[in-house]
Amino acid sequence: MTTSETRIFLSAVWNNLVMFNYAVEPSLLDPFVPSGTELDSFAGKTYISLIGFEFNCTRVLGFGIPFHQNFEEVNVRFYVRRGEK
């Protein structure tokens, strides 16, 4: 593999995406904040997101895994930063 080639680990098509964002009290998330980071905020509010979507045509290193190519997924996430990042 040359330096100009990039090996893609995971590829998929996202369909039927829905995202809900909720402002929450930062104290609810403090126990889950990774060491060396801090909760991120937007306009002074801390958010948690619930994201649902379909993963379709999923490939790992270019190969489809039987029974794991098309499936639904739900993510719950919040946002942190390290310094200014």
Side-chain angles (χ1 to χ4, degrees):
M1 188 177 325
T2 67
T3 56
S4 63
E5 294 176 340
T6 302
R7 185 105 190 229
I8 297 173
F9 176 73
L10 177 68
S11 65
V13 175
W14 288 19
N15 291 322
N16 299 317
L17 177 73
V18 63
M19 179 184 287
F20 298 99
N21 297 299
Y22 301 94
V24 297
E25 290 296 322
S27 60
L28 293 174
L29 300 175
D30 283 337
F32 306 104
V33 176
S35 179
T37 65
E38 60 184 309
L39 281 171
D40 200 2
S41 61
F42 179 75
K45 294 185 179 181
T46 301
Y47 289 91
I48 190 167
S49 299
L50 176 65
I51 304 161
F53 57 95
E54 292 178 6
F55 245 95
N56 292 300
C57 304
T58 306
R59 301 269 185 259
V60 177
L61 297 174
F63 298 97
I65 308 298
F67 310 107
H68 292 85
Q69 295 177 39
N70 302 306
F71 54 92
E72 296 84 16
E73 183 162 318
V74 175
N75 296 167
V76 177
R77 57 179 78 173
F78 62 94
Y79 306 91
V80 298
R81 66 174 178 229
R82 179 173 286 133
E84 295 299 314
K85 294 183 178 186

